[in-house]
Coordinates of all heavy atoms in Angstrom, one line a residue:
M21 N 20.7 -39.5 -82.1 CA 19.7 -39.9 -83.1 C 20.6 -40.3 -84.4 O 21.4 -39.5 -84.7 CB 18.8 -38.8 -83.4 CG 17.8 -39.1 -84.5 SD 16.5 -37.9 -84.7 CE 15.4 -38.6 -83.5
L22 N 20.3 -41.4 -84.9 CA 21.0 -41.9 -86.1 C 20.1 -41.8 -87.3 O 19.0 -42.4 -87.4 CB 21.4 -43.3 -85.9 CG 22.3 -43.9 -87.0 CD1 23.6 -43.0 -87.1 CD2 22.8 -45.3 -86.6
I23 N 20.4 -40.9 -88.2 CA 19.7 -40.7 -89.5 C 20.5 -41.2 -90.6 O 21.7 -40.9 -90.7 CB 19.4 -39.2 -89.7 CG1 18.5 -38.7 -88.5 CG2 18.7 -39.0 -91.0 CD1 18.3 -37.2 -88.6
P24 N 20.0 -42.1 -91.4 CA 20.7 -42.7 -92.5 C 21.0 -41.6 -93.6 O 20.1 -41.0 -94.2 CB 19.9 -43.8 -93.1 CG 18.5 -43.4 -92.7 CD 18.6 -42.7 -91.4
L25 N 22.3 -41.3 -93.8 CA 22.7 -40.3 -94.8 C 23.5 -41.0 -95.9 O 24.3 -41.8 -95.6 CB 23.5 -39.2 -94.2 CG 22.8 -38.3 -93.1 CD1 23.8 -37.3 -92.5 CD2 21.6 -37.6 -93.7
D26 N 23.2 -40.6 -97.1 CA 24.0 -41.1 -98.2 C 24.8 -39.9 -98.7 O 24.4 -39.0 -99.4 CB 23.0 -41.6 -99.4 CG 23.8 -42.1 -100.6 OD1 25.0 -42.1 -100.6 OD2 23.1 -42.5 -101.5
R27 N 26.1 -39.9 -98.3 CA 27.0 -38.9 -98.7 C 27.4 -38.9 -100.1 O 28.0 -37.9 -100.6 CB 28.2 -38.9 -97.7 CG 27.8 -38.6 -96.3 CD 29.0 -38.7 -95.3 NE 28.5 -38.7 -94.0 CZ 28.3 -37.6 -93.3 NH1 28.4 -36.4 -93.8 NH2 27.9 -37.7 -92.0
Q28 N 27.1 -40.0 -100.8 CA 27.4 -40.0 -102.2 C 26.2 -39.6 -103.1 O 26.4 -39.4 -104.3 CB 27.8 -41.5 -102.6 CG 28.9 -42.1 -101.8 CD 30.2 -41.2 -101.9 OE1 30.5 -40.8 -103.0 NE2 30.8 -41.0 -100.8
S29 N 25.1 -39.4 -102.5 CA 23.9 -39.0 -103.2 C 24.0 -37.5 -103.8 O 24.7 -36.7 -103.2 CB 22.7 -39.0 -102.3 OG 21.5 -38.5 -102.9
E30 N 23.3 -37.3 -104.8 CA 23.3 -35.9 -105.4 C 22.3 -35.0 -104.5 O 22.4 -33.8 -104.6 CB 22.8 -35.9 -106.8 CG 23.8 -36.6 -107.8 CD 23.4 -36.4 -109.2 OE1 22.6 -35.6 -109.6 OE2 24.0 -37.2 -110.0
Q31 N 21.5 -35.7 -103.7 CA 20.6 -34.9 -102.9 C 21.4 -34.3 -101.7 O 22.1 -35.1 -101.0 CB 19.5 -35.8 -102.3 CG 18.4 -35.1 -101.5 CD 17.3 -36.0 -101.0 OE1 17.6 -37.2 -100.7 NE2 16.2 -35.5 -100.8
P32 N 21.3 -33.0 -101.5 CA 22.1 -32.4 -100.4 C 21.7 -33.1 -99.0 O 20.6 -33.6 -98.8 CB 21.6 -31.0 -100.4 CG 21.1 -30.7 -101.8 CD 20.5 -32.1 -102.2
L33 N 22.6 -33.1 -98.1 CA 22.4 -33.7 -96.8 C 21.3 -33.0 -96.0 O 20.5 -33.7 -95.4 CB 23.7 -33.6 -96.0 CG 24.9 -34.4 -96.4 CD1 26.1 -34.1 -95.6 CD2 24.6 -35.9 -96.4
Y34 N 21.1 -31.7 -96.2 CA 20.0 -31.1 -95.4 C 18.7 -31.6 -95.9 O 17.7 -31.7 -95.2 CB 20.1 -29.5 -95.5 CG 19.6 -28.9 -96.7 CD1 18.3 -28.5 -96.9 CD2 20.4 -28.7 -97.8 CE1 17.8 -27.9 -98.0 CE2 20.0 -28.1 -99.0 CZ 18.6 -27.7 -99.1 OH 18.2 -27.2 -100.2
Q35 N 18.6 -31.9 -97.2 CA 17.3 -32.4 -97.8 C 17.1 -33.8 -97.3 O 15.9 -34.2 -97.1 CB 17.3 -32.3 -99.3 CG 17.2 -30.9 -99.8 CD 17.2 -30.9 -101.3 OE1 17.6 -31.8 -102.0 NE2 16.7 -29.7 -101.9
Q36 N 18.1 -34.6 -97.2 CA 18.0 -35.9 -96.6 C 17.5 -35.9 -95.2 O 16.6 -36.7 -94.8 CB 19.3 -36.7 -96.7 CG 19.8 -37.0 -98.2 CD 21.1 -37.7 -98.2 OE1 21.3 -38.7 -97.5 NE2 22.0 -37.2 -99.0
I37 N 18.1 -35.0 -94.4 CA 17.7 -34.9 -93.0 C 16.2 -34.4 -92.9 O 15.4 -34.9 -92.1 CB 18.6 -33.9 -92.3 CG1 20.0 -34.6 -92.2 CG2 18.1 -33.6 -90.9 CD1 21.1 -33.6 -91.9
E38 N 15.9 -33.4 -93.7 CA 14.5 -32.9 -93.8 C 13.5 -34.0 -94.1 O 12.5 -34.2 -93.5 CB 14.4 -31.7 -94.8 CG 13.0 -31.2 -95.0 CD 12.9 -30.3 -96.2 OE1 13.9 -29.9 -96.8 OE2 11.7 -30.0 -96.5
A39 N 13.9 -34.7 -95.2 CA 13.0 -35.8 -95.6 C 12.8 -36.9 -94.5 O 11.7 -37.4 -94.4 CB 13.5 -36.5 -96.9
Y40 N 13.9 -37.2 -93.8 CA 13.8 -38.2 -92.7 C 12.8 -37.7 -91.7 O 11.9 -38.4 -91.3 CB 15.1 -38.4 -92.1 CG 15.1 -39.3 -90.9 CD1 15.1 -40.7 -91.1 CD2 15.1 -38.8 -89.6 CE1 15.1 -41.6 -90.0 CE2 15.0 -39.7 -88.5 CZ 15.0 -41.0 -88.7 OH 15.0 -41.9 -87.7
F41 N 13.0 -36.5 -91.2 CA 12.1 -35.9 -90.2 C 10.6 -35.8 -90.7 O 9.7 -36.1 -90.0 CB 12.6 -34.6 -89.6 CG 13.6 -34.8 -88.6 CD1 14.9 -34.2 -88.8 CD2 13.4 -35.5 -87.4 CE1 15.9 -34.4 -87.8 CE2 14.4 -35.6 -86.4 CZ 15.6 -35.1 -86.7
R42 N 10.5 -35.3 -91.9 CA 9.2 -35.2 -92.5 C 8.4 -36.5 -92.5 O 7.3 -36.6 -92.1 CB 9.3 -34.6 -94.0 CG 8.0 -34.4 -94.7 CD 8.2 -33.8 -96.1 NE 9.0 -32.6 -96.0 CZ 8.5 -31.4 -95.8 NH1 7.2 -31.3 -95.5 NH2 9.3 -30.4 -95.8
E43 N 9.1 -37.6 -92.9 CA 8.5 -38.9 -93.0 C 8.1 -39.4 -91.6 O 7.0 -39.9 -91.3 CB 9.4 -39.9 -93.6 CG 8.9 -41.3 -93.6 CD 7.6 -41.5 -94.4 OE1 7.4 -40.8 -95.4 OE2 6.8 -42.4 -94.0
C44 N 9.0 -39.1 -90.6 CA 8.7 -39.5 -89.2 C 7.5 -38.7 -88.7 O 6.7 -39.3 -88.0 CB 9.9 -39.2 -88.3 SG 11.3 -40.3 -88.6
I45 N 7.4 -37.5 -89.0 CA 6.3 -36.7 -88.5 C 5.0 -37.1 -89.1 O 4.0 -37.3 -88.5 CB 6.6 -35.2 -88.7 CG1 7.7 -34.7 -87.9 CG2 5.3 -34.3 -88.5 CD1 8.3 -33.3 -88.3
L46 N 5.0 -37.2 -90.5 CA 3.8 -37.5 -91.2 C 3.3 -39.0 -90.9 O 2.1 -39.2 -91.0 CB 4.0 -37.3 -92.7 CG 4.2 -35.8 -93.1 CD1 4.5 -35.7 -94.6 CD2 3.1 -34.9 -92.6
S47 N 4.2 -39.9 -90.6 CA 3.8 -41.3 -90.4 C 3.4 -41.4 -88.9 O 2.8 -42.5 -88.6 CB 5.0 -42.2 -90.7 OG 6.0 -42.1 -89.7
G48 N 3.7 -40.5 -88.1 CA 3.3 -40.5 -86.7 C 4.3 -41.2 -85.8 O 4.1 -41.3 -84.6
S49 N 5.4 -41.6 -86.4 CA 6.5 -42.2 -85.5 C 7.2 -41.2 -84.7 O 7.9 -41.6 -83.7 CB 7.5 -43.0 -86.4 OG 8.2 -42.2 -87.2
L50 N 7.1 -39.9 -85.0 CA 7.6 -38.8 -84.2 C 6.4 -38.1 -83.7 O 5.7 -37.3 -84.5 CB 8.5 -38.0 -85.0 CG 9.4 -36.9 -84.2 CD1 10.3 -37.6 -83.3 CD2 10.2 -36.1 -85.2
G51 N 6.0 -38.3 -82.5 CA 4.8 -37.8 -81.9 C 4.7 -36.2 -81.8 O 5.8 -35.6 -81.7
A52 N 3.5 -35.7 -81.7 CA 3.4 -34.3 -81.4 C 4.0 -33.9 -80.1 O 4.1 -34.7 -79.2 CB 1.9 -34.0 -81.4
E53 N 4.6 -32.7 -80.1 CA 5.2 -32.2 -78.9 C 6.6 -32.9 -78.6 O 7.2 -32.6 -77.5 CB 4.3 -32.2 -77.7 CG 3.0 -31.5 -77.9 CD 3.2 -30.0 -78.2 OE1 4.1 -29.3 -77.6 OE2 2.5 -29.5 -79.0
T54 N 7.0 -33.8 -79.5 CA 8.3 -34.4 -79.3 C 9.4 -33.4 -79.6 O 9.4 -32.7 -80.6 CB 8.5 -35.6 -80.2 OG1 7.5 -36.6 -79.9 CG2 9.9 -36.2 -80.0
R55 N 10.4 -33.2 -78.7 CA 11.5 -32.3 -78.9 C 12.5 -32.9 -79.9 O 12.9 -34.1 -79.7 CB 12.2 -32.0 -77.6 CG 11.3 -31.2 -76.7 CD 12.0 -30.6 -75.5 NE 12.9 -29.6 -76.1 CZ 13.5 -28.7 -75.3 NH1 13.4 -28.7 -74.1 NH2 14.3 -27.8 -75.9
L56 N 12.9 -32.1 -80.9 CA 13.9 -32.6 -81.8 C 15.3 -32.3 -81.1 O 15.4 -31.5 -80.2 CB 13.8 -31.8 -83.1 CG 12.5 -32.0 -83.9 CD1 12.6 -31.1 -85.1 CD2 12.4 -33.4 -84.3
P57 N 16.3 -33.1 -81.5 CA 17.6 -32.9 -81.0 C 18.1 -31.4 -81.3 O 17.7 -30.8 -82.3 CB 18.5 -33.9 -81.7 CG 17.6 -34.8 -82.3 CD 16.3 -34.2 -82.5
S58 N 18.9 -30.9 -80.4 CA 19.4 -29.6 -80.7 C 20.3 -29.6 -82.0 O 20.8 -30.7 -82.3 CB 20.3 -29.1 -79.5 OG 21.5 -29.9 -79.5
T59 N 20.4 -28.5 -82.6 CA 21.2 -28.5 -83.9 C 22.6 -28.9 -83.6 O 23.2 -29.6 -84.4 CB 21.1 -27.1 -84.5 OG1 21.6 -26.1 -83.6 CG2 19.7 -26.8 -85.0
R60 N 23.2 -28.4 -82.5 CA 24.6 -28.7 -82.1 C 24.8 -30.2 -81.9 O 25.7 -30.8 -82.4 CB 25.0 -27.9 -80.9 CG 26.4 -28.0 -80.6 CD 26.7 -27.1 -79.4 NE 26.1 -25.7 -79.5 CZ 26.8 -24.7 -79.8 NH1 28.1 -24.7 -80.1 NH2 26.2 -23.5 -79.9
Q61 N 23.8 -30.8 -81.2 CA 24.0 -32.3 -80.8 C 23.8 -33.1 -82.1 O 24.5 -34.0 -82.3 CB 23.0 -32.7 -79.8 CG 23.1 -34.1 -79.4 CD 24.4 -34.4 -78.8 OE1 24.9 -33.8 -77.8 NE2 25.1 -35.4 -79.3
L62 N 22.7 -32.8 -82.9 CA 22.5 -33.6 -84.1 C 23.6 -33.5 -85.1 O 24.0 -34.4 -85.7 CB 21.1 -33.2 -84.7 CG 20.7 -34.1 -85.8 CD1 20.6 -35.6 -85.4 CD2 19.3 -33.6 -86.4
A63 N 24.1 -32.3 -85.2 CA 25.3 -32.1 -86.1 C 26.5 -32.9 -85.7 O 27.1 -33.5 -86.5 CB 25.6 -30.6 -86.2
S64 N 26.7 -32.9 -84.4 CA 27.8 -33.7 -83.9 C 27.6 -35.2 -84.1 O 28.4 -35.9 -84.5 CB 28.0 -33.4 -82.4 OG 28.9 -34.3 -81.8
D65 N 26.3 -35.7 -83.8 CA 26.0 -37.1 -84.0 C 26.1 -37.5 -85.4 O 26.6 -38.7 -85.7 CB 24.5 -37.4 -83.6 CG 24.3 -37.2 -82.1 OD1 25.3 -37.2 -81.3 OD2 23.2 -37.2 -81.6
L66 N 25.8 -36.7 -86.4 CA 25.8 -37.0 -87.8 C 27.1 -36.7 -88.5 O 27.3 -37.1 -89.7 CB 24.6 -36.4 -88.5 CG 23.2 -36.8 -88.1 CD1 22.2 -36.0 -88.9 CD2 23.0 -38.3 -88.2
G67 N 27.9 -35.9 -87.9 CA 29.2 -35.5 -88.5 C 29.0 -34.5 -89.6 O 29.7 -34.6 -90.6
V68 N 28.0 -33.6 -89.4 CA 27.8 -32.6 -90.4 C 27.9 -31.2 -89.8 O 27.9 -31.1 -88.5 CB 26.4 -32.7 -91.1 CG1 26.2 -34.1 -91.8 CG2 25.2 -32.5 -90.1
N69 N 27.9 -30.2 -90.6 CA 27.9 -28.8 -90.1 C 26.6 -28.4 -89.5 O 25.5 -28.9 -89.9 CB 28.2 -27.9 -91.3 CG 28.6 -26.5 -90.9 OD1 27.8 -25.8 -90.3 ND2 29.8 -26.1 -91.2
R70 N 26.6 -27.6 -88.5 CA 25.4 -27.2 -87.8 C 24.5 -26.4 -88.7 O 23.2 -26.6 -88.6 CB 25.8 -26.3 -86.6 CG 24.7 -26.2 -85.6 CD 25.3 -25.6 -84.3 NE 24.3 -24.7 -83.8 CZ 24.6 -23.7 -83.0 NH1 25.8 -23.3 -82.7 NH2 23.6 -22.9 -82.5
I71 N 25.0 -25.7 -89.7 CA 24.1 -25.0 -90.6 C 23.3 -26.0 -91.4 O 22.1 -25.7 -91.8 CB 25.0 -24.2 -91.6 CG1 25.8 -23.1 -90.8 CG2 24.2 -23.6 -92.7 CD1 25.0 -22.1 -90.2
T72 N 23.8 -27.2 -91.7 CA 23.1 -28.2 -92.4 C 21.8 -28.6 -91.6 O 20.7 -28.7 -92.2 CB 23.9 -29.5 -92.6 OG1 25.1 -29.1 -93.3 CG2 23.2 -30.5 -93.3
I73 N 21.9 -28.7 -90.3 CA 20.8 -29.1 -89.5 C 19.8 -27.9 -89.4 O 18.6 -28.1 -89.5 CB 21.2 -29.5 -88.1 CG1 22.2 -30.6 -88.1 CG2 20.0 -29.9 -87.2 CD1 21.8 -31.9 -88.8
E74 N 20.3 -26.7 -89.3 CA 19.5 -25.5 -89.2 C 18.7 -25.3 -90.4 O 17.5 -25.0 -90.4 CB 20.3 -24.3 -88.9 CG 20.9 -24.3 -87.5 CD 21.9 -23.1 -87.2 OE1 22.2 -22.4 -88.2 OE2 22.4 -23.0 -86.1
T75 N 19.3 -25.6 -91.6 CA 18.6 -25.4 -92.9 C 17.5 -26.5 -93.0 O 16.3 -26.1 -93.4 CB 19.6 -25.6 -94.0 OG1 20.6 -24.7 -93.9 CG2 18.9 -25.4 -95.4
A76 N 17.7 -27.7 -92.5 CA 16.7 -28.7 -92.6 C 15.5 -28.3 -91.6 O 14.3 -28.4 -92.0 CB 17.3 -30.1 -92.2
Y77 N 15.9 -27.9 -90.4 CA 14.8 -27.5 -89.5 C 14.0 -26.3 -90.0 O 12.8 -26.3 -89.8 CB 15.5 -27.1 -88.1 CG 15.8 -28.3 -87.2 CD1 15.7 -29.6 -87.7 CD2 16.3 -28.1 -85.9 CE1 16.1 -30.7 -86.9 CE2 16.6 -29.2 -85.1 CZ 16.5 -30.5 -85.6 OH 16.9 -31.5 -84.8
R78 N 14.7 -25.3 -90.6 CA 14.0 -24.2 -91.2 C 13.0 -24.6 -92.2 O 11.8 -24.0 -92.3 CB 14.9 -23.1 -91.7 CG 15.5 -22.2 -90.7 CD 16.2 -21.0 -91.3 NE 17.3 -21.5 -92.2 CZ 18.6 -21.4 -91.9 NH1 18.9 -20.8 -90.8 NH2 19.5 -21.8 -92.7
A79 N 13.3 -25.5 -93.1 CA 12.4 -26.0 -94.1 C 11.2 -26.7 -93.5 O 10.1 -26.5 -93.9 CB 13.1 -27.0 -95.1
L80 N 11.4 -27.5 -92.5 CA 10.3 -28.1 -91.8 C 9.4 -27.1 -91.1 O 8.2 -27.2 -91.1 CB 10.8 -29.1 -90.7 CG 11.5 -30.4 -91.3 CD1 12.3 -31.1 -90.2 CD2 10.5 -31.3 -92.0
E81 N 10.0 -26.1 -90.5 CA 9.3 -25.0 -89.8 C 8.4 -24.2 -90.9 O 7.3 -23.9 -90.6 CB 10.2 -24.1 -89.1 CG 9.5 -23.1 -88.2 CD 10.5 -22.3 -87.4 OE1 11.7 -22.2 -87.7 OE2 10.0 -21.8 -86.4
A82 N 9.0 -24.0 -92.0 CA 8.3 -23.2 -93.1 C 7.1 -23.9 -93.5 O 6.1 -23.3 -93.9 CB 9.3 -22.9 -94.2
D83 N 7.1 -25.3 -93.5 CA 6.0 -26.1 -93.9 C 5.0 -26.3 -92.7 O 4.0 -27.1 -92.9 CB 6.4 -27.4 -94.5 CG 7.1 -27.2 -95.8 OD1 6.9 -26.2 -96.5 OD2 7.8 -28.2 -96.3
G84 N 5.3 -25.8 -91.6 CA 4.4 -25.9 -90.4 C 4.5 -27.3 -89.7 O 3.6 -27.6 -89.0
L85 N 5.6 -28.0 -90.0 CA 5.7 -29.3 -89.3 C 6.3 -29.3 -88.0 O 6.1 -30.2 -87.1 CB 6.5 -30.3 -90.3 CG 5.7 -30.6 -91.6 CD1 6.7 -31.4 -92.5 CD2 4.5 -31.3 -91.3
I86 N 7.1 -28.3 -87.7 CA 7.8 -28.1 -86.4 C 7.7 -26.6 -86.1 O 7.4 -25.8 -86.9 CB 9.2 -28.5 -86.4 CG1 10.1 -27.7 -87.3 CG2 9.3 -30.0 -86.7 CD1 11.6 -28.0 -87.2
Y87 N 7.9 -26.3 -84.8 CA 7.9 -24.9 -84.4 C 9.0 -24.7 -83.4 O 9.6 -25.7 -82.8 CB 6.6 -24.4 -83.8 CG 6.1 -25.1 -82.6 CD1 6.4 -24.6 -81.4 CD2 5.3 -26.3 -82.7 CE1 5.9 -25.3 -80.2 CE2 4.9 -26.9 -81.6 CZ 5.2 -26.4 -80.4 OH 4.7 -27.0 -79.2

């Protein structure tokens, strides 16, 4: 999965990832019951630390958008 990240932005990467998934979920382009990539795989694909992905996923989970 390719998520556009702006590494020069003041917005942290985890917030950019969270915002991307949030928009996909709310717009319906990411359907219900769709499995998100594993934290390990997505971190590898994006070239970020796994904690970055876990933090983004936790924020989405806290808002009830994923489980």
Side-chain angles (χ1 to χ4, degrees):
M21 175 170 276
L22 187 58
I23 298 173
L25 296 178
D26 181 359
R27 295 176 190 276
Q28 304 304 317
S29 174
E30 291 186 18
Q31 184 181 32
L33 292 175
Y34 80 90
Q35 287 180 345
Q36 293 179 47
I37 295 165
E38 174 193 350
Y40 176 83
F41 280 119
R42 182 178 304 278
E43 178 60 32
C44 289
I45 292 166
L46 296 177
S47 72
S49 64
L50 192 63
E53 304 299 321
T54 300
R55 292 190 71 163
L56 297 178
S58 71
T59 57
R60 191 177 310 261
Q61 183 62 53
L62 188 56
S64 175
D65 290 349
L66 298 177
V68 300
N69 192 298
R70 200 165 142 208
I71 298 296
T72 302
I73 306 302
E74 290 173 355
T75 303
Y77 280 7
R78 275 194 301 254
L80 293 166
E81 187 175 24
D83 288 342
L85 294 173
I86 64 172
Y87 63 92

